[in-house]
Amino acid sequence: MKLEGERIIEASRAAVWEALNDADVLRACIPGCEELERTSDTTFEGQVLQKVGPVKARFRGAVTLGNVVEAESYTITGEGKGGAAGFVKGGADVSLSDGEDGSTRLAFDAEAQVGGKLAQMGNRVVQGYARKVADQFFDRFKEEVERPASEDSVTPGVDQAPDELVAADASPSVVADETEDATLSDHPLEKPGSARPPTREEPISGAAAAPEGEPVEEPEATSAGAGPAGGVEAPDQAAISKTAADRAAAEESDE
């Protein structure tokens, strides 16, 4: 399986060469790359997650740089193993040349072979997928190298300043608090200082309440046989007068 192509990158040859040897840049550009570390001046080790048709697997391997000509070319060779999914091995010649107006022409000529389940899927499927991955890598690489320094993306927890991290962490809670306040203030009776509506246990009475601190006048209770002041009923004056008259008449008849 062979792949070849080129890209015109609007950057100096020195900048492109530096990026081709930068593990961080390569990690960001390789589709599905989960790990990539430079273990020496000429070797890298890494892991990628790829899905070709129904086959999805992690391939772990190493690549070596050879035939290195500073700021001009190198040959990259390597192999990755994905367990039952199979393996991928091959190499590529990468070269740089001057383009117009200070740009750089990057050309590559690669050849690879696959084994295991990947090989059983057919050369057309595998080669089509390899072309897609290669195009994604070089498109991302071109964009990364041409990106102005002021537009570099910030990776949370790595390049982001501590103050920015604190602000980012605080944002969700701040939004939640503001939302909660807005929800409560939508109801006029829930605003601070407003009257609380009566509940079923607190029916509204038609009588006015007595001012605080003043006694409430209660109606005087009366009982049968009690006078206005609640004492013993006063004697009948007419009956007393009649009795006295009867006694006087009786005394006169005796005389």
Side-chain angles (χ1 to χ4, degrees):
M1 179 174 58
K2 292 181 65 65
L3 295 171
E4 59 183 18
E6 66 177 46
R7 293 290 190 282
I8 301 298
I9 301 176
E10 299 299 330
S12 66
R13 190 194 298 188
V16 177
W17 178 260
E18 181 180 359
L20 284 172
N21 289 272
D22 188 326
D24 291 335
V25 173
L26 297 176
R27 186 188 306 113
C29 298
I30 298 173
C33 184
E34 298 177 330
E35 300 175 19
L36 185 65
E37 296 181 1
R38 186 160 195 163
T39 54
S40 73
D41 291 341
T42 58
T43 58
F44 294 88
E45 291 184 359
Q47 177 175 288
V48 297
L49 176 64
Q50 298 291 338
K51 184 177 184 300
V52 186
V55 179
K56 181 178 182 180
R58 284 184 170 85
F59 293 85
R60 187 164 192 86
V63 296
T64 302
L65 305 180
N67 304 324
V68 178
V69 179
E70 187 74 18
E72 185 173 327
S73 64
Y74 63 44
T75 299
I76 182 172
T77 58
E79 180 178 2
K81 296 181 179 180
F87 66 88
V88 179
K89 64 179 180 180
D93 293 322
V94 180
S95 62
L96 304 177
S97 58
D98 294 333
E100 297 181 356
D101 300 326
S103 64
T104 300
R105 175 180 176 271
L106 185 156
F108 65 93
D109 186 357
E111 186 171 357
Q113 72 177 91
V114 299
K117 290 184 178 180
L118 291 177
Q120 297 174 9
M121 299 180 63
N123 185 65
R124 184 176 64 86
V125 175
V126 175
Q127 184 156 351
Y129 181 79
R131 166 57 66 182
K132 177 182 177 180
V133 171
D135 287 342
Q136 288 178 348
F137 169 79
F138 285 107
D139 288 345
R140 292 179 182 179
F141 182 81
K142 172 181 169 66
E143 181 180 353
E144 184 71 22
V145 177
E146 292 179 345
R147 186 199 312 272
S150 60
E151 297 182 8
D152 288 346
S153 58
V154 178
T155 303
V158 179
D159 298 327
Q160 194 170 4
D163 291 343
E164 292 173 328
L165 283 176
V166 172
D169 292 340
S171 296
S173 62
V174 172
V175 173
D177 292 342
E178 292 176 353
T179 303
E180 182 178 357
D181 292 343
T183 303
L184 292 176
S185 63
D186 286 342
H187 199 302
L189 296 181
E190 292 295 332
K191 294 182 180 180
S194 63
R196 181 172 58 85
T199 63
R200 293 183 179 180
E201 291 76 12
E202 300 174 350
I204 299 176
S205 175
E212 185 177 357
E214 296 184 7
V216 179
E217 296 183 359
E218 298 287 347
E220 295 182 355
T222 59
S223 58
V232 179
E233 185 179 1
D236 191 346
Q237 296 297 328
I240 294 174
S241 299
K242 184 177 182 301
T243 301
D246 292 341
R247 287 179 180 177
E251 290 179 353
E252 290 179 359
S253 61
D254 289 341
E255 295 177 353

